[in-house]
Amino acid sequence: MKRQEVNSPIAIEAKGLVKRFGTNAAVDGVDLSIPKGSVYGFLGPNGAGKTTTIRILATLLEPSSGSASILGLDLKRDAHHIRGKISLTGQFASVDEDLTGLENLVMVARLLGFSWKEAKKRAMELLTAFGLKEAARQQVKNYSGGMRRRLDVAASIVVAPEILFLDEPTTGLDPRSRNQVWDIIRTLAESGTTVLLTTQYLDEADQLAERIAVIDEGKIIAEGTSRELKASVGAGALSIQFSDEGSRIKGERLIKQRLPAVLQSQPDAASLTVRTSHANEGITVLDILAQAGIEVIDFSFGNPTLDEVFLALTGEAAGDKNKKEGIK
Amino acid sequence: MKTPVSSISTTAQESLRDSIAREKKQDRRAGALSASVTFGWRALLKIKHVPEQLFDVTAFPIIFLLMFTYLFGGAIAGSTGDYLQFLLPGILVMTVTMITMYTGMDLNKDIVKGVFDRFRTLPIWRPALLVGALAVDMVRYSMAAFIMISLGLLLGFRPEGGTVGVLAAVALLLVFSFSFSWIWTALGIMMRSEKSLMMISMMFLFPLTFVSNVFVDPATLPSWLHGFVEWNPISLLVTAIRGLMHGSASIEDIGWVLLVSMLLTAVFAPLTMYLFRHKR
């Protein structure tokens, strides 16, 4: 254990971080307090300010105003010192495509003060651990998205950092590669690295992060565990498929009479979505329908999606926002 | 934390855990020299993996020399042989200053691709990235010079300054190119894309190299252009190099080039490093 770790249980602390690009505030007053040894998720749509925030915290950008400390070190004054304790895996692979996987890792190891021999040994060790041994001598431009991402993470832990910043670590990956990256992140967290990751998917934040901050238009609009966040949106949504439109209308009327639940009509006239604050409410709804003798062809109970969290928190769907602002 | 439903095998996870545990949380970092050497090594690897990029220091000089010698020789100097004595030092300067812009383009590519972010989050002496790359560029410039002078000798170039004069000329050219490169590194960080950087460099390089004494004696130019050509840094360099190769350079000629080089470095190296630190 290092001295500073004993001194401060907080990995990242930020107060009123603002970053303006021209007149547009990409980050607009972010406060954070992230404990050591946790996985913390930034959840939000494209253009919400996730990347900008992470780049500020990783010493790549200076905030327009506000302050932050990383492991008790001031972001402005001790940036160089902080760089010795953190790693960043950017949104677009931060590796050299012209070089081979092995060369990339040897380069990073050399820059961290390994001798040529040590560097090569460490590189091979990591390539093996990340399942890239066979591809060690191939140029990275020939890697698949998943391989590239794993190499990128490997480069970040040539010397395991105290804090690892991961900007959308699984965007664009197939499910298998995504699971591999998730496993790597979990293993890292278990070994004591604090991980700060950004994601557009509630599912991913849910799977990995102990605490999640929802970011929209540069502001944190909600913060908590994934359970708390979901509770704030309602437990989920019950989708019901009726036999025909008539049954749907009848069912809808009955549910409205008996429950305060929010009903959403669907494009298909014979189906209905009931947003519930509690899973038990879903059972009650089905019970009401069964007792009234209304035939239910199919039903499913789903967790809230990012879209729904957003809808609940901002009154605007995340998907619409992406469309409006264009994908950045 | 959720119970991991593992997609990588248990042994893989163990080896991962081991490899994490093995190198932990030391404030390890390379010294300035070692970091520069590593970045130089990276530049050499890029040449190995993308050998096409040597075109600019091999094919380019050959084409330029042949093209301009035979195109202008008869018209300007009466014979290609006489013109070569005049042209070779100039065309050498033109070729090498043109390829200095690749340093900026490589840097720009690093930024666009994202690897620049990794370098910037490493606890290293930041100029190392550029120093390493520039050092390898010196090798590339020397190659271009070697190829051009060898071809020149075959075609009948006879430097009166002898071997010493030619080597001194190449050394001076390298000093100037090193300082000139900092303009492109600064622009390389500022520009959004390789394309825009290329356009800006061309806008700058074409007038600078053509409106100079590379091809013709400035005495033949209209007087309003004369002033520009005379103080164009490329002209100063060409005068010194021509002088060194033919054994007629004055201390003053060389002094001007060294002064310009110093000024360029003093302005553009700190500017580059400033932009490097404050890049978005």
Side-chain angles (χ1 to χ4, degrees), chain B residues 16 26 29 45-46 66 81 87 95 114 118 134 146 157 173 185 196-197 200 206 223:
Chain B
L16 184 61
Q26 299 304 315
R29 65 193 65 189
L45 284 175
K46 278 186 178 269
L66 292 176
L87 178 73
T95 310
R118 171 161 319 280
L134 285 173
F146 175 79
F157 177 62
L173 177 63
T185 54
S196 46
L197 176 63
I200 292 269
F206 265 105
S223 57

Side-chain angles (χ1 to χ4, degrees), chain B residues 132-181:
Chain B
L134 285 173
V136 173
D137 283 340
M138 293 299 121
V139 176
R140 290 156 37 106
Y141 304 155
S142 309
M143 265 177 78
F146 175 79
I147 289 172
M148 234 167 169
I149 293 167
S150 308
L151 180 65
L153 289 172
L154 281 178
L155 295 177
F157 177 62
R158 294 293 171 262
E160 287 150 46
T163 314
V164 176
V166 170
L167 288 178
V170 172
L172 188 66
L173 177 63
L174 291 182
V175 169
F176 180 85
S177 306
F178 175 84
S179 27
F180 203 66
S181 298

Side-chain angles (χ1 to χ4, degrees), chain B residues 192-224:
Chain B
R192 250 173 241 265
S193 70
E194 231 176 303
K195 252 188 201 157
S196 46
L197 176 63
M198 184 92 156
M199 289 231 302
I200 292 269
S201 331
M202 284 303 178
M203 253 169 62
F204 196 61
L205 276 172
F206 265 105
L208 215 55
T209 47
F210 278 90
V211 188
S212 70
N213 58 358
V214 167
F215 297 103
V216 291
D217 184 345
T220 62
L221 298 174
S223 57
W224 57 271

Side-chain angles (χ1 to χ4, degrees), chain A:
Chain A
M1 273 261 190
K2 296 199 69 161
R3 185 166 38 87
Q4 270 139 340
E5 278 172 81
V6 181
N7 285 346
S8 158
I10 300 296
I12 299 171
E13 181 121 55
K15 285 199 187 78
L17 280 186
V18 173
K19 182 67 189 180
R20 276 182 221 95
F21 296 123
T23 54
N24 166 41
V27 176
D28 196 4
V30 163
D31 298 314
L32 286 169
S33 179
I34 301 174
K36 272 188 187 152
S38 63
V39 180
Y40 194 92
F42 274 0
L43 178 67
N46 276 323
K50 304 187 299 284
T51 299
T52 310
T53 308
I54 224 169
R55 288 174 66 83
I56 291 173
L57 297 173
T59 76
L60 287 174
L61 266 182
E62 279 177 15
S64 308
S65 66
S67 64
S69 66
I70 308 291
L71 300 159
L73 297 165
D74 184 78
L75 194 60
K76 267 200 183 125
R77 280 198 315 272
D78 303 319
H80 192 72
H81 201 170
I82 290 172
R83 285 182 204 118
K85 298 171 182 298
I86 61 162
S87 289
L88 168 82
T89 295
Q91 197 167 348
F92 307 102
S94 332
V95 286
D96 191 331
E97 294 192 328
D98 291 332
L99 268 47
T100 67
L102 177 64
E103 287 162 351
N104 264 291
L105 295 184
V106 168
M107 175 174 72
V108 173
R110 284 280 304 154
L111 293 173
L112 288 166
F114 288 64
S115 70
W116 287 105
K117 208 177 145 193
E118 282 175 333
K120 191 162 179 206
K121 184 164 162 265
R122 179 65 177 155
M124 280 317 293
E125 198 174 281
L126 284 168
L127 288 166
T128 310
F130 280 73
L132 293 168
K133 200 177 168 189
E134 268 76 54
R137 287 185 168 77
Q138 278 173 35
Q139 273 179 281
V140 175
K141 64 172 66 145
N142 300 323
Y143 279 25
S144 70
M147 289 162 74
R148 201 178 288 220
R149 194 40 91 168
R150 274 181 280 150
L151 180 69
D152 206 354
V153 177
S156 286
I157 63 166
V158 167
V159 172
E162 295 193 42
I163 302 178
L164 175 62
F165 295 98
L166 291 167
D167 196 3
E168 304 205 0
T170 63
T171 298
L173 297 191
D174 61 60
R176 194 183 127 81
S177 308
R178 189 197 57 184
N179 286 340
Q180 285 175 334
V181 172
W182 281 3
D183 282 336
I184 291 167
I185 296 172
R186 285 190 188 107
T187 311
L188 272 168
E190 281 165 29
S191 319
T193 297
T194 307
V195 179
L196 176 59
L197 62 89
T198 71
T199 179
Q200 299 192 40
Y201 315 111
L202 180 65
D203 181 31
E204 179 161 277
D206 199 8
Q207 287 280 329
L208 296 171
E210 280 125 65
R211 292 191 79 80
I212 299 167
V214 182
I215 301 197
D216 186 41
E217 293 180 353
K219 292 190 176 70
I220 294 182
I221 55 173
E223 206 261 2
T225 62
S226 95
R227 191 189 297 244
E228 285 163 359
L229 281 179
K230 283 184 185 170
S232 75
V233 200
L238 177 69
S239 304
I240 308 165
Q241 177 74 45
F242 294 91
S243 56
D244 53 47
E245 194 179 345
S247 320
R248 195 264 298 163
I249 293 168
K250 212 156 56 177
E252 193 172 333
R253 199 185 311 125
L254 274 170
I255 298 165
K256 270 184 181 161
Q257 281 167 7
R258 305 268 302 271
L259 282 172
V262 183
L263 302 183
Q264 267 178 337
S265 46
Q266 295 296 319
D268 171 11
S271 65
L272 179 70
T273 299
V274 186
R275 296 168 62 83
T276 57
S277 55
H278 197 275
N280 264 336
E281 228 173 67
I283 300 173
T284 314
V285 168
L286 292 172
D287 195 40
I288 292 169
L289 297 176
Q291 285 192 1
I294 297 170
E295 192 190 358
V296 170
I297 294 186
D298 194 12
F299 70 88
S300 63
F301 191 79
N303 279 326
T305 61
L306 173 60
D307 274 343
E308 282 162 327
V309 172
F310 257 84
L311 191 64
L313 292 169
T314 64
E316 193 172 5
D320 293 345
K321 186 151 283 171
N322 280 347
K323 268 174 235 148
K324 223 169 58 190
E325 294 187 356
I327 305 299
K328 286 188 184 161

